Amino acid sequence: MQIHFFAAARAASGVAETQVSLTDLAEPTLRALVEKLGEEFTGKTASGMTLAQVMHQCSFLIDGTRSELDTVLTENVRVDVLPPFAGG
């Protein structure tokens, strides 16, 4: 899977994107992916938030469709991690 981080999620992870395999997850769900990413990336934003903290406020798109944490993942998807943005 391709994971793309935006805004505060990018700042906390320190990267714009990463790859994760389904075999790296405890189960093939978005929730398991979020937990794995929160454990793997331990950097912080300028305001001191970790990626795990940022992701509690995020929306997630899987192949462009907003998805909930119980969504089942497949190997060849793109996951966008979108923190709340100012404006509209």
Side-chain angles (χ1 to χ4, degrees), residues 1-5 16-20 33 37 77 79 81:
M1 290 173 282
Q2 291 182 322
I3 316 304
H4 293 260
F5 298 107
E17 62 184 74
T18 191
Q19 297 276 342
V20 175
L33 175 64
L37 294 171
V77 296
V79 178
V81 181

Side-chain angles (χ1 to χ4, degrees), residues 1 3 18-29 32-37 39-40 75:
M1 290 173 282
I3 316 304
T18 191
Q19 297 276 342
V20 175
S21 174
L22 279 181
T23 60
D24 295 333
L25 304 179
E27 61 184 20
T29 63
L33 175 64
V34 167
E35 290 172 6
K36 168 112 176 102
L37 294 171
E39 293 168 1
E40 184 175 325
E75 191 65 52

Side-chain angles (χ1 to χ4, degrees), residues 23-87:
T23 60
D24 295 333
L25 304 179
E27 61 184 20
T29 63
L30 182 56
R31 183 181 322 281
L33 175 64
V34 167
E35 290 172 6
K36 168 112 176 102
L37 294 171
E39 293 168 1
E40 184 175 325
F41 293 96
T42 58
K44 294 185 178 184
T45 64
S47 64
M49 291 181 72
T50 65
L51 180 60
Q53 292 169 321
V54 169
M55 286 192 299
H56 283 293
Q57 303 172 16
C58 287
S59 295
F60 301 92
L61 301 180
I62 298 175
D63 288 337
T65 301
R66 189 174 192 288
S67 301
E68 301 300 325
L69 293 176
D70 61 349
T71 301
V72 175
L73 301 172
T74 59
E75 191 65 52
N76 296 313
V77 296
R78 174 185 168 131
V79 178
D80 293 325
V81 181
L82 303 168
F85 292 94

